[in-house]
Amino acid sequence: MLELHNLCGSTMQFYTPRPSIALASAIALGSLISNTNAQIAFSNYAVDAGLEDATRLVSVGGIYSMMTGGGVTGDFNNDGFDDIFMLAGGEYADHLYLNNQDGTFTDKASQWGVDLFQHASGASAVDFNNDGYLDIFVTSFGPSENSAAAGNFKLFRNNGPDQSGQWSFTDVAQLCGVNRLFETYTDGLGSAWGDYDLDGDLDLYICAYEDTRAGNRLFRNDGENAKGQWTFTDVTDEAGLSFTGVAGFDPQLVDMNGDKYPDLIVVADAGTSQYFVNNGDGTFTNRTNTVQDIHTAIGMGIDIGDLNNDGLLDMYITSVTYTFSDGPGNLMLIQNEDGSFSNHARSAQTYRGYWGWGAIMTDLDHDGDRDLIETNGFVGTFSGKPSVIFENLGDGTLFNEVAHDSGFFHNAQGRGLVRLDIENDGDIDVVIFNSNVNMSLFRNELITNETPADKNWIRVKLNTAARDSLAPAGIGAMIKVTTGSTTQILPMHCGSSHCSSSTIEVHTGLAQATTIDTLRIEWPDGSFTTRTNVAANQVLTIDASSHPADYNNDTVVDVNDVFAFVASLSSQSLVADHNGDMQLNYFDISAFIADYYAAP
């Protein structure tokens, strides 16, 4: 695998002409007709969305050409709708498709200053400087008119609108110190963001594929200096993360063990994936040996979530399933109570996915459990193999492959795989960034005119602007949604799904529940925000208060917060559960008093 990738990462190019609009429309119609009785149903929506020119073609002189195909989804202009940024390969300029709020998109890359012809492999998007605008990081290797070179990573700072209302980006990677891995080292694929030291800002991890160097690097966000410039420092060595022999594709920074500190998963080629536990003191400890079969994975994509609703986070890692050996196959890593992980992919029927790349773990049919999507494709016998959807049949122990039955017809060279909600109708749509072919967009047809009685949902976004101790968008928080006797845990994170990242929010189905009994945010600083009797079927933004004791959200901790806390306590509302034990008693009063007097 490693040798194949190195060979294919030179100058090999493959291009598939995009279908005519008439043909694409016929495919979309056929998808809907064949799936009228399916629980999960998709239509091929790229042409209808105005994305027929979303073309990618890798330029000569780049690196890892057959392994890349990246982009991100997120709300770049703060209008409440998901947009799409796509790396176009170098033969075309990169695309920034803004959502027109009617199910269609318009490319505004040139107006925003990101229509670059560049060698680039991957992208991620967060608000790295906490100014309220979504920024973009790109592992770039310079203009496509030149050969790939080090020092060309991009960190596009979103400038917001100017006085005329025009939005723009400015590349600040060099100023921030994240424009390269090493001085002359041309490498870089997926990236992830997380607050590894819990200081309230987002740190950056970048994967590198060349395994003879310690190229997978962690950059600490040092915040804004005296000159008003945000800076980063490479802390890989001091964090205990300097290693060789790892052909990195994609990282994730997620708190897997519930101690608030995000742990690190590096998904890598040829059985070299790694799992590191955050020690909470700026260092990590390698716990790869606690992850069953991880050494077998030709790992290329990952997503995180609770697949069996037992309150512990699990991992799904895509790999290759060879016909002659029926393996090694994907990994479905279920977390055990002791923090180790067991591979249940074969028994759950999720191991076979051809040549896997991007992965998504999300609730496609709103039944309250997480389903899996995997995109596929490579050369030779793996060319033309379809992407797969594994429908969770209820408790995470058995899945059913339903891509064809659901109208999810995709057999291009898929790479990056991300989720979004095109029309804010509540169900999850899917973008696939393909290698040397147009972008694919699949619209989820679960909800059309109104939400079915048994397909209720919630989308949650977090706003942490009022509290400096919390990372932007609440990255690192754990959201717990309780309906009846069921509690779902949903991590807020920004990791790579093969050189790509999705909209930063959590989403889940609620089945027949029209009201959420308790929706709880467990913030990384140890505080809680609890809402009760939350209506389903909405995009809900929850604001973190300025301080854990600021109960009326007026940015001031004073006697009015005491009144608000006592009112909640008197009404037996879990909003007053200050210590997070899901009970109301003296300990909540004691915890509130301690925070109240500790407030500035």
Side-chain angles (χ1 to χ4, degrees):
M1 173 65 177
L2 193 60
E3 184 178 0
L4 272 174
H5 273 181
N6 285 334
L7 288 173
C8 294
S10 56
T11 60
M12 294 179 66
Q13 298 184 16
F14 294 84
Y15 178 66
T16 303
R18 59 182 181 270
S20 67
I21 294 178
L23 176 59
S25 298
I27 293 173
L29 181 60
S31 300
L32 290 176
I33 292 173
S34 64
N35 295 286
T36 53
N37 296 319
Q39 287 294 307
I40 298 175
F42 283 93
S43 64
N44 190 332
Y45 194 65
V47 172
D48 290 337
L51 300 175
E52 62 268 18
D53 293 324
T55 308
R56 174 181 171 81
L57 183 59
V58 175
S59 53
V60 175
I63 62 174
Y64 307 142
S65 60
M66 284 298 296
M67 299 195 296
T68 62
V72 295
T73 53
D75 183 5
F76 293 107
N77 58 357
N78 287 3
D79 66 351
F81 285 78
D82 290 332
D83 310 304
I84 305 170
F85 174 75
M86 171 186 167
L87 299 173
E91 287 295 317
Y92 295 94
D94 297 337
H95 306 286
L96 176 63
Y97 290 102
L98 296 187
N99 194 321
N100 297 321
Q101 304 183 16
D102 60 0
T104 68
F105 296 81
T106 300
D107 192 353
K108 296 290 186 179
S110 61
Q111 292 91 327
W112 285 56
V114 289
D115 57 332
L116 302 187
F117 291 79
Q118 61 175 330
H119 305 297
S121 57
S124 56
V126 297
D127 178 9
F128 82 91
N129 57 354
N130 200 18
D131 63 356
Y133 303 122
L134 191 61
D135 313 299
I136 303 174
F137 176 76
V138 179
T139 43
S140 173
F141 311 111
S144 54
E145 62 186 13
N146 303 324
S147 296
N152 287 291
F153 291 172
K154 307 296 183 187
L155 180 56
F156 291 119
R157 183 191 65 210
N158 190 331
N159 300 315
D162 62 18
Q163 292 182 345
S164 67
Q166 175 59 50
W167 293 65
S168 64
F169 285 99
T170 299
D171 177 23
V172 295
Q174 185 170 359
L175 291 173
C176 290
V178 291
N179 61 314
R180 67 177 75 233
L181 291 173
F182 290 116
E183 189 66 28
T184 59
Y185 184 13
T186 306
D187 207 339
L189 286 164
S191 55
W193 297 79
D195 186 6
Y196 88 97
D197 50 3
L198 299 191
D199 65 350
D201 50 34
L202 289 169
D203 311 298
L204 173 64
Y205 194 89
I206 307 172
C207 275
Y209 188 75
E210 174 53 63
D211 64 352
T212 62
R213 302 182 180 91
N216 299 276
R217 311 297 293 179
L218 174 64
F219 292 87
R220 184 186 65 213
N221 189 334
D222 292 327
E224 196 172 15
N225 63 22
K227 297 181 179 180
Q229 177 59 52
W230 286 69
T231 60
F232 290 76
T233 299
D234 186 338
V235 294
T236 308
D237 295 343
E238 65 186 70
L241 294 173
S242 182
F243 48 79
T244 59
V246 176
F249 272 123
D250 300 289
Q252 290 273 351
L253 282 164
V254 181
D255 174 21
M256 301 299 294
N257 58 9
D259 67 354
K260 311 302 182 187
Y261 287 88
D263 307 301
L264 172 66
I265 306 107
V266 177
V267 172
D269 202 353
T272 62
S273 297
Q274 304 291 308
Y275 174 55
F276 295 89
V277 171
N278 193 326
N279 297 321
D281 60 0
T283 67
F284 292 77
T285 297
N286 194 323
R287 290 286 184 262
T288 306
N289 63 351
T290 67
V291 184
Q292 182 183 16
D293 294 337
I294 196 170
H295 64 283
T296 70
I298 304 169
M300 291 179 282
I302 182 174
D303 205 357
I304 305 292
D306 184 4
L307 284 168
N308 56 354
N309 277 349
D310 66 348
L312 300 173
L313 291 180
D314 311 306
M315 300 183 246
Y316 186 75
I317 297 177
T318 61
S319 183
V320 175
T321 306
Y322 294 105
T323 303
F324 67 87
S325 63
D326 198 32
N330 305 318
L331 303 182
M332 195 179 91
L333 299 165
I334 302 299
Q335 186 170 180
N336 304 309
E337 291 186 1
D338 64 359
S340 65
F341 295 83
S342 298
N343 182 18
H344 291 244
R346 285 192 178 268
S347 62
Q349 295 297 304
T350 61
Y351 77 96
R352 187 184 292 126
Y354 308 106
W355 195 293
W357 296 95
I360 291 177
M361 185 186 299
T362 192
D363 187 357
L364 295 173
D365 50 6
H366 290 185
D367 60 356
D369 55 43
R370 267 127 293 285
D371 310 296
L372 301 167
I373 308 180
E374 171 190 336
T375 185
N376 284 287
F378 204 56
V379 296
T381 58
F382 288 94
S383 181
K385 296 298 184 182
S387 294
V388 297
I389 296 177
F390 295 112
E391 178 189 8
N392 192 332
L393 298 183
D395 61 1
T397 62
L398 189 63
F399 290 72
N400 186 28
E401 205 291 297
V402 298
H404 183 273
D405 291 341
S406 67
F408 198 87
F409 299 127
H410 178 269
N411 59 0
Q413 290 282 332
R415 297 295 183 266
L417 178 66
V418 293
R419 54 178 169 73
L420 74 166
D421 184 354
I422 300 169
E423 298 165 304
N424 283 350
D425 62 356
D427 51 23
I428 294 300
D429 310 301
V430 176
V431 168
I432 300 178
F433 300 110
N434 298 302
S435 176
N436 292 339
V437 71
N438 282 24
M439 177 201 303
S440 300
L441 175 61
F442 291 91
R443 185 173 69 177
N444 192 330
E445 302 293 345
L446 184 68
I447 298 173
T448 51
N449 296 323
E450 61 182 30
T451 302
D454 61 343
K455 303 297 178 187
N456 297 294
W457 56 275
I458 191 74
R459 285 173 52 201
V460 180
K461 299 174 181 287
L462 301 178
N463 175 20
T464 57
R467 196 186 305 181
D468 291 340
S469 63
L470 300 175
I475 291 176
M478 189 70 69
I479 293 86
K480 294 187 175 181
V481 175
T482 300
T483 54
S485 61
T486 300
T487 296
Q488 302 180 51
I489 64 168
L490 307 165
M492 190 74 76
H493 65 97
C494 177
S496 179
S497 170
H498 195 76
C499 297
S500 305
S501 69
S502 296
T503 301
I504 301 170
E505 64 177 29
V506 300
H507 159 276
T508 192
L510 303 170
Q512 297 179 348
T514 58
T515 301
I516 297 171
D517 297 328
T518 304
L519 192 154
R520 164 161 298 195
I521 315 300
E522 298 185 353
W523 301 105
D525 66 358
S527 64
F528 304 87
T529 297
T530 304
R531 300 280 184 90
T532 57
N533 299 319
V534 177
N537 305 324
Q538 62 169 317
V539 181
L540 177 65
T541 298
I542 295 180
D543 298 328
S545 62
S546 63
H547 187 274
D550 181 14
Y551 263 71
N552 63 354
N553 284 344
D554 65 353
T555 73
V556 177
V557 177
D558 56 20
V559 69
N560 293 312
D561 298 297
V562 177
F563 294 148
F565 172 74
V566 170
S568 295
L569 193 66
S570 299
S571 64
Q572 291 294 293
S573 171
L574 283 174
V575 171
D577 178 21
H578 198 79
N579 68 346
D581 62 359
M582 296 298 288
Q583 301 180 54
L584 296 175
N585 50 36
Y586 164 80
F587 296 103
D588 298 299
I589 299 173
S590 176
F592 172 77
I593 291 173
D595 278 337
Y596 180 82
Y597 283 105

